[in-house]
Amino acid sequence: MAEKSKAQITMKDMEVSALKTLVEFSYTGEVVITEDNVQALLPVASLLQIPSVREACCQFLLRQLHPSNCLGIRSFADAHACQDLHARSHKYALRNFQEVALTEEFLMLSLWEVEDLVSNQRLNVPSEEPVFGAVLRWVRHDLAGRETHLGQLLQHVRLPLLGRDFLLRAVGEEPLVRASPDAKDLLIEAMRYHLQPEHRTSMSGLRTSLRRPDDLRPYLFAIGGGSLFTIHNECECYNPRNDRWYPINSTQQRRSRAGVASIGRMVYVVGGYCGSEKRSRLNA
């Protein structure tokens, strides 16, 4: 290094407090990482090649992940080549997308960053409604500069998987959709999917397939049932990953011997016996 022959070295783009902390660390082997100093310590530790402090800073930021800051942490990790922190904060954003999409950080994302999120097959959402809402909020935040990107982003929203009422009311009546030829084409495609179920096979593709979040795994449901003395309406879910049963909310009446089927991500309970008469009611 050229600096080894110099009596004085000028270090640029370093906070004095961070450098002082790392000099003290070199003598004591101890460093206190806080929310106030972590963003200054990490780049200086990287520049001075102190991997133990750099890793400690990354671990600290991982523990701070929250929907309100995960996108900022992801950007910070990308800027300083912290690959594991970047990957894990990105995964956190996908897993908590509904909350993340409501934050100020989301509104500040670039077009390609929003597109990267809403197009991800691992996006964890109960339906495509929050994805559609997130796209509209991002566009409206800077309408003059972003309105032309609506069609580009909506192509990643699985509009055919939305309910018909939502398509007609929320999507079809949205002024931004009406003003965008590309968005209107996507709406027409989605409506055709609903109005021509016999042609759905030929229309199948990425926009008609459910997303597959990382946490999505097979579960076993126990719904209702009966014993010698009573009929039950309890519903429980078994998670094979941790070998545990969990109670889940139930709106069904007490019944046993019901028919149960799953369609998409919905579980339907049909018919059954309530103890005095047969039931024909459908619960979902």
Side-chain angles (χ1 to χ4, degrees):
M1 297 175 62
E3 291 85 353
K4 68 180 181 180
S5 60
K6 294 182 179 181
Q8 186 175 352
I9 301 172
T10 301
M11 294 185 174
K12 299 180 180 179
D13 301 323
M14 284 191 184
E15 286 197 18
V16 174
S17 59
L19 183 58
K20 181 176 181 293
T21 298
L22 291 175
V23 170
E24 292 174 350
F25 169 76
S26 66
Y27 286 97
T28 64
E30 297 180 357
V31 62
V32 177
I33 300 173
T34 68
E35 292 182 14
D36 295 329
N37 68 11
V38 63
Q39 293 192 44
L41 275 177
L42 193 150
V44 178
S46 298
L47 184 61
L48 298 181
Q49 299 182 23
I50 308 177
S52 58
V53 176
R54 172 186 163 92
E55 179 60 25
C57 288
C58 289
Q59 291 301 316
F60 179 87
L61 289 172
L62 279 174
R63 293 192 295 271
Q64 305 302 309
L65 281 175
H66 185 270
S68 64
N69 65 21
C70 63
L71 294 176
I73 291 176
R74 185 187 68 168
S75 178
F76 180 76
D78 185 45
H80 298 287
C82 301
Q83 296 180 354
D84 184 61
L85 178 60
H86 180 272
R88 293 173 69 174
S89 55
H90 180 66
K91 185 176 180 180
Y92 183 94
L94 294 175
R95 186 185 302 121
N96 299 276
F97 179 77
Q98 283 186 268
E99 295 83 4
V100 170
L102 299 175
T103 66
E104 190 70 18
E105 284 190 349
F106 179 79
L107 297 178
M108 296 296 108
L109 292 178
S110 66
L111 170 63
W112 75 264
E113 287 174 318
V114 175
E115 189 170 20
D116 182 56
L117 284 173
V118 300
S119 65
N120 199 294
Q121 180 73 349
R122 302 298 183 187
L123 200 66
N124 183 30
V125 287
S127 71
E128 292 298 307
E129 290 185 18
V131 188
F132 176 74
V135 168
L136 285 186
R137 278 193 298 276
W138 183 84
V139 170
R140 286 171 178 157
H141 186 72
D142 179 14
L143 193 58
R146 297 174 176 179
E147 185 175 4
T148 57
H149 302 312
L150 179 63
Q152 181 177 344
L153 291 175
L154 282 187
Q155 68 176 324
H156 303 296
V157 182
R158 306 346 173 37
L159 293 180
L161 301 184
L162 292 169
R164 283 181 293 181
D165 290 342
F166 188 87
L167 276 173
L168 289 171
R169 175 177 48 83
V171 182
E173 297 179 6
E174 170 56 48
L176 292 176
V177 172
R178 289 173 174 267
S180 169
D182 292 337
K184 285 194 293 186
D185 288 344
L186 292 168
L187 174 60
I188 292 171
E189 175 192 67
M191 292 305 300
R192 286 181 56 224
Y193 185 81
H194 283 275
L195 295 173
Q196 300 177 324
E198 69 276 10
H199 296 149
R200 286 184 179 178
T201 301
S202 62
M203 290 186 283
S204 63
L206 189 61
R207 282 195 290 273
T208 62
S209 63
L210 292 171
R211 298 182 192 264
R212 304 290 297 180
D214 284 332
D215 294 334
L216 190 64
R217 298 290 188 275
Y219 291 90
L220 176 66
F221 290 86
I223 300 175
S227 61
L228 182 61
F229 302 104
T230 185
I231 303 296
H232 301 282
N233 70 338
E234 294 86 358
C235 296
E236 293 181 303
C237 174
Y238 174 69
N239 186 343
R241 287 177 292 169
N242 57 15
D243 191 28
R244 291 184 61 184
W245 285 91
Y246 298 92
I248 58 176
N249 293 331
S250 170
T251 58
Q252 72 162 19
Q253 297 176 334
R254 297 178 183 272
R255 69 177 82 184
S256 65
R257 289 170 278 176
V260 180
S262 65
I263 301 177
R265 294 178 183 173
M266 297 290 290
V267 175
Y268 296 88
V269 182
V270 184
Y273 179 67
C274 71
S276 60
E277 59 182 8
K278 292 182 178 180
R279 294 285 184 183
S280 59
R281 182 177 175 180
L282 168 67
N283 289 96

